[in-house]
Amino acid sequence: MENMDLRFIDSVLEKHDSDKSKIIAIMQDVQEQYRYLPQEALEYIAEKVGMSESKLYGVATFYGNFSLDAKGKYVMKVCRGTACHVRKSSNVLQALYDATGTSEQKPNSDDGLFTLEIVSCLGACGLSPVVMVNDTVHAAMTPEKARALVEQLKEEA
Amino acid sequence: MAEKKMIIDGIECPFTNERNVLEVARKNGIDIPSLCYCENLSIYGGCRLCLVENEKGVMDAACSMQPRNGLVVYTHTKKVLDSRHTTLQLLLSSHRAECLTCDESGRCKLQEYAHRYNVVEPRFTENTYSRAPLDVSSPSITRDPSKCILCGLCVRMCAEVQNIGAIDFTKRGKKAVVAPGFGKTLIETGCVGCGQCAAVCPTGAITINNQIPEMWRMLNDPKKKVVVQFAPSVRVGLAEEFSMPASEPVTGKLVTALKRLGVDVVYDTNLTADLTIMEESAEFLEKVKNGDKLPMFTSCCPGWIQHVEKAHPHLMPQVSTCGSPMEMFGALIRQQFKDEDVYSVAIMPCTAKKFEAQRPELEKDGKRLIDLVLTTDELARLIKAAGIDFKNLPDSEPDSPLGDYTGAGVIFGVTGGVTEAVIRRVLDDASPETLKTIAECGVRGLEGIKAFEVAAGDLKLRIAVANGLGNADKLIEKVESGEEYFDFIEVMACPNGCIGGGGQPPASNARKAERFEAIFKADDACELKIPQQNPALGYVYDELLKGRAHELLHIHYPAHGHH
Ligand code: SF4
Ligand code: SF4
Ligand code: SF4
Ligand code: FES
Ligand code: FES
């Protein structure tokens, strides 16, 4: 990550008084902005709040909600839980891989728009197969609907 | 007040201000196993191996239990033993137990307990040990996550005592690993290679880089002249490895053992400790005279030097440019045996010296000053491998002409020693009265930070001594905030100074106090007490160094800047 705007990080730090005990909130704000926690940002924060880098990294990696990898504008969580599996979520996943140009080994699309994640049961089995895009749930997905969704998102972006 | 007692396994155990039931038990000769507890670190209570049972049949961790008058606990009931067994089995089910080839074997606590409590690795389940990569980036230590039991001792040591925090718990669940942040390797962190994490690690997950095979190769090479120097604190760190009391120095046996190993020439680093004092005192008095920025910091500890470079680079110009005693002896050895095929070895209490020896600045006239650094611990293994009965060896003296030293050199081995030697040099008076005044000025003792004042003629010097980098950082903070002023500050990265170095056999506080005693016994045994009395100095300055003293005995690291 080159030339990161540290002013934004400064504003977040200021909001939380650079207080060690508010480190979770600080990281949440940063993640909201960048959709992930850039290493440069964390190193900067560690120095500013007086925590070791390794400790901050430890906190960031402890919570499943924080991500240290750059993510696309649209994070697509494809459910591979049992209910979704039974209703052929694997076909949906393959359709999304193809439409976005991603794969299991390469979850980020080259245009920076999509990140594909496989998750286990999203707790919406009644709507299976389920794909979540950022915070929106898309129910009863089929490969056709998946392709249409990708096209629509590309247009919106 | 009546004596306080608790009852452990039906035995009355008196206690005073012990920190927990675990300490009370150990003090009274009852060993409760523990994997995540260290007397010098905060209490974690995570390994659950120290569980004991009370009268009501409730189990709790002895390391987290406050001793109380009349408290009753049992340490080997069926319930306790079953729990230990299960805990150990769990640990082994995610541990790459390859004891035969593990560097920690024989001293590993996990191995010891598995044996003691009859635990075998569960055969038919898949072992879930960490597959995180081996970290061999540091010249001093190696991290092997596949042997880590996540006890956190290294994490606490590095953060609480050294104030560095190079490693911490990262990830979670099955992927949890103690490591630097962001997938970095140790060399990319603030790590200074002090080896204190390895000293507390109960398993082979952090070990000191083992260079014994290299030493054997050289000892068995007839073309090589192997010249060995050994540091002050080596003589007080070896005894316990051979079932001898740590409170007596074993200098004479050490020299004999080195000779029997096939070393060609044996020197005592004490000589160049004396030399360091000559150079460092001159440098200090010069700075005082010129009104240069003070305090001047000592420079003999490579862990400290790295810490300044990584954490306080702006202070580097205030760090003495004197090479360490190891460096200086390396320089003398190259002058003494100019055209010979010499292999220059230093036996050190220190893992950071392995790094120092490799630094580009430690090369003069195109030759490495030190080819190999072995720790005290590695030397003990070498001696054992050679089948030498160390305990019953006769004494010998180091070789001449570079074999002389004074008591000022030997006390380098403990915190405050360098400073005491500098004061002896500056006061320039070897009378018993003066020596006694110096010894009692506040410089001696194992406290983490000492501060005191010494009068030298019309100079009044404010001096501070710190051991452990956390303590050094505290001191620096006080100096930088203007709260305190000092003319001279000694720092040793390891707690208690080199006697507690990362390369010494790991020792309890009690054992380190014995080593402290032993160092001053070695000082007492020296006729000569102040460095300027060292009879070899004339030879060193006039014949060996011949006008090149500054060039060969001083080291300018990049962060020192220009002078
Ligand atoms: S760390 Fe201990 S138990 Fe593990 S392989 Fe080494 S000696 Fe064996
Ligand atoms: S060698 Fe010292 S500085 Fe490096 S990780 Fe271990 S304790 Fe920390
Ligand atoms: S590396 Fe050693 S000291 Fe550190 S957590 Fe693992 S087992 Fe414990
Ligand atoms: S299995 Fe997909 S939502 Fe439950
Ligand atoms: S030593 Fe008490 S829980 Fe680990």
Side-chain angles (χ1 to χ4, degrees):
Chain A
M1 175 114 208
E2 324 98 56
N3 306 328
M4 154 159 240
D5 185 3
L6 291 173
R7 273 172 312 177
F8 171 72
I9 312 286
D10 278 329
S11 71
V12 172
L13 285 168
E14 197 172 325
K15 175 170 152 209
H16 299 286
D17 311 314
S18 297
D19 183 349
K20 248 192 255 204
S21 66
K22 298 186 185 145
I23 196 68
I24 302 275
I26 294 175
M27 290 198 292
Q28 273 171 335
D29 287 0
V30 173
Q31 172 142 318
E32 199 172 313
Q33 171 86 3
Y34 295 98
R35 294 188 302 280
Y36 80 110
L37 297 172
Q39 176 169 343
E40 196 186 338
L42 288 187
E43 288 172 350
Y44 184 72
I45 292 169
E47 195 191 317
K48 290 287 166 184
V49 303
M51 253 167 111
S52 69
E53 269 179 23
S54 63
K55 169 127 266 134
L56 190 58
Y57 179 82
V59 177
T61 53
F62 184 83
Y63 295 97
N65 274 332
F66 288 125
S67 167
L68 283 108
D69 300 316
K71 288 200 175 167
K73 180 161 184 208
Y74 301 108
V75 177
M76 307 183 119
K77 294 194 169 120
V78 182
C79 179
R80 297 284 282 132
T82 313
C84 293
H85 175 75
V86 169
R87 299 209 183 175
K88 304 250 175 332
S89 59
S90 55
N91 294 348
V92 174
L93 178 63
Q94 195 53 53
L96 287 173
Y97 278 153
D98 294 344
T100 55
T102 56
S103 68
E104 199 179 333
Q105 290 73 37
K106 179 183 169 296
N108 294 312
S109 63
D110 290 333
D111 55 12
L113 281 183
F114 299 99
T115 296
L116 260 78
E117 287 177 1
I118 299 171
V119 294
S120 47
C121 187
L122 283 163
C125 308
L127 307 174
S128 60
V130 175
V131 173
M132 227 171 112
V133 179
N134 296 347
D135 291 324
T136 320
V137 175
H138 297 262
M141 291 300 280
T142 60
E144 293 72 42
K145 282 167 92 176
R147 277 187 285 271
L149 177 62
V150 170
E151 285 316 310
Q152 182 202 335
L153 293 174
K154 275 186 185 165
E155 265 162 46
E156 279 172 24
Chain B
M1 204 175 72
E3 194 184 36
K4 288 184 285 182
K5 289 190 196 103
M6 57 171 292
I7 321 284
I8 305 177
D9 297 335
I11 298 159
E12 279 196 355
C13 298
F15 67 93
T16 50
N17 53 356
E18 281 78 0
R19 207 176 170 202
N20 51 28
V21 169
L22 190 68
E23 295 278 5
V24 177
R26 287 185 181 165
K27 196 157 275 178
N28 285 279
I30 297 166
D31 184 29
I32 300 172
S34 70
L35 283 169
C36 71
Y37 177 72
C38 166
E39 56 185 337
N40 299 317
L41 301 173
S42 66
I43 295 170
Y44 171 48
C47 78
R48 311 315 279 172
L49 204 64
C50 68
L51 291 191
V52 293
E53 186 176 348
N54 70 12
E55 284 168 308
K56 299 197 190 87
V58 179
M59 291 202 291
D60 214 340
C63 69
S64 319
M65 199 187 277
Q66 204 69 40
R68 257 188 303 112
N69 202 15
L71 182 70
V72 177
V73 299
Y74 299 91
T75 75
H76 50 80
T77 61
K78 173 160 190 332
K79 227 167 149 177
V80 168
L81 290 175
D82 284 350
S83 150
R84 264 179 215 166
H85 197 272
T86 311
T87 305
L88 286 166
Q89 198 138 43
L90 271 175
L91 289 173
L92 285 186
S93 71
S94 54
H95 183 85
R96 194 167 61 84
E98 292 184 349
C99 302
L100 279 185
T101 50
C102 180
D103 228 58
E104 189 77 0
S105 198
R107 107 161 14 137
C108 170
K109 282 182 114 186
L110 183 58
Q111 183 188 47
E112 180 188 339
Y113 292 149
H115 181 254
R116 193 193 288 179
Y117 300 110
N118 297 305
V119 183
V120 289
E121 187 191 351
R123 287 258 176 100
F124 302 107
T125 50
E126 197 208 338
N127 196 310
T128 56
Y129 65 79
S130 170
R131 266 67 172 178
L134 198 70
D135 184 349
V136 294
S137 64
S138 158
S140 307
I141 56 172
T142 298
R143 282 193 324 110
D144 181 353
S146 71
K147 297 200 178 141
C148 175
I149 58 168
L150 303 174
C151 70
L153 282 168
C154 58
V155 173
R156 279 172 279 152
M157 176 57 81
C158 193
E160 293 173 10
V161 176
Q162 300 300 52
N163 196 31
I164 290 175
I167 40 184
D168 212 312
F169 289 97
T170 66
K171 313 240 167 71
R172 61 178 186 150
K174 277 191 184 153
K175 290 198 169 150
V177 57
V178 164
F182 309 109
K184 290 183 181 175
T185 57
L186 275 175
I187 201 98
E188 301 166 278
T189 69
C191 172
V192 302
C194 66
Q196 290 300 323
C197 51
V200 286
C201 178
T203 72
I206 305 184
T207 49
I208 290 155
N209 292 347
N210 177 343
Q211 295 177 289
I212 298 173
E214 187 64 15
M215 183 66 174
W216 276 126
R217 238 165 26 88
M218 292 301 158
L219 285 171
N220 287 321
D221 183 341
K223 289 194 293 295
K224 289 280 173 195
K225 179 172 209 137
V226 179
V227 180
V228 169
Q229 56 165 313
F230 62 91
S233 52
V234 176
R235 76 205 65 212
V236 305
L238 211 51
E240 60 225 57
E241 283 296 301
F242 301 98
S243 324
M244 298 163 69
S247 55
E248 296 292 333
V250 293
T251 324
K253 292 187 195 308
L254 174 52
V255 177
T256 310
L258 287 167
K259 288 279 182 186
R260 292 204 183 171
L261 278 167
V263 171
D264 297 294
V265 181
V266 179
Y267 288 137
D268 194 326
T269 310
N270 280 348
L271 165 71
T272 42
D274 282 341
L275 202 55
T276 302
I277 293 308
M278 298 306 290
E279 292 293 315
E280 197 156 332
S281 310
E283 184 184 2
F284 173 62
L285 293 176
E286 184 72 15
K287 278 185 189 257
V288 171
K289 199 176 95 206
N290 295 344
D292 287 350
K293 186 151 187 214
L294 296 172
M296 182 174 96
F297 293 95
T298 55
S299 61
C300 26
C301 168
W304 160 238
I305 295 277
Q306 265 207 89
H307 186 55
V308 179
E309 291 176 310
K310 288 184 169 183
H312 312 284
H314 64 287
L315 289 179
M316 202 60 192
Q318 280 166 257
V319 174
S320 162
T321 58
C322 286
S324 65
M326 174 181 85
E327 181 277 328
M328 290 193 184
F329 223 126
L332 298 190
I333 287 169
R334 290 294 177 217
Q335 294 306 310
Q336 176 75 20
F337 305 101
K338 262 207 157 101
D339 305 310
E340 294 177 66
D341 188 4
V342 162
Y343 191 70
S344 163
V345 181
I347 315 282
M348 295 283 136
C350 178
T351 51
K353 289 273 173 201
K354 287 184 187 266
F355 166 77
E356 183 193 345
Q358 295 180 5
R359 301 194 67 153
E361 292 80 6
L362 265 78
E363 184 166 313
K364 306 264 182 187
D365 303 336
K367 279 191 180 155
R368 302 301 310 163
L369 298 182
I370 306 292
D371 292 308
L372 180 72
V373 172
L374 291 183
T375 61
T376 309
D377 206 57
E378 287 172 287
L379 175 65
R381 280 173 71 175
L382 204 64
I383 293 172
K384 287 176 191 169
I388 293 170
D389 177 10
F390 188 82
K391 197 172 174 176
N392 294 311
L393 285 180
D395 288 347
S396 336
E397 293 287 328
D399 286 293
S400 35
L402 295 172
D404 305 294
Y405 58 86
T406 75
V410 79
I411 60 177
F412 262 59
V414 299
T415 174
V418 174
T419 305
E420 182 167 346
V422 167
I423 303 173
R424 288 188 195 177
R425 160 73 185 130
V426 171
L427 296 194
D428 196 18
D429 173 10
S431 71
E433 300 74 46
T434 302
L435 291 172
K436 186 158 179 285
T437 319
I438 297 175
E440 290 167 359
C441 75
V443 67
R444 281 198 196 174
L446 291 173
E447 300 86 341
I449 297 180
K450 290 169 284 185
F452 50 93
E453 204 168 274
V454 171
D458 40 2
L459 276 180
K460 266 211 178 334
L461 302 175
R462 289 261 327 139
I463 298 177
V465 173
N467 64 87
L469 293 172
N471 288 325
D473 284 351
K474 278 186 208 147
L475 209 51
I476 289 171
E477 212 174 290
K478 287 195 175 163
V479 170
E480 303 217 302
S481 70
E483 190 186 329
E484 295 253 31
Y485 172 84
F486 296 105
D487 299 291
F488 183 93
I489 296 183
E490 170 196 311
V491 180
M492 296 293 157
C494 289
N496 305 329
C498 305
I499 55 171
Q504 300 274 58
S508 63
N509 292 347
R511 179 80 34 97
K512 284 188 221 159
E514 287 178 10
R515 290 179 183 166
F516 179 83
E517 209 187 305
I519 282 280
F520 286 100
K521 282 189 190 161
D523 176 27
D524 289 343
C526 290
E527 292 275 324
L528 306 174
K529 294 284 191 236
I530 63 177
Q532 53 271 52
Q533 292 172 321
N534 189 318
L537 289 182
Y539 172 71
V540 166
Y541 279 111
D542 304 336
E543 299 197 30
L544 276 190
L545 299 173
K546 282 200 254 12
R548 297 184 67 198
H550 190 87
E551 173 200 345
L552 295 177
L553 304 181
H554 287 251
I555 297 286
H556 293 264
Y557 291 116
H560 266 122
H562 293 290
H563 282 250

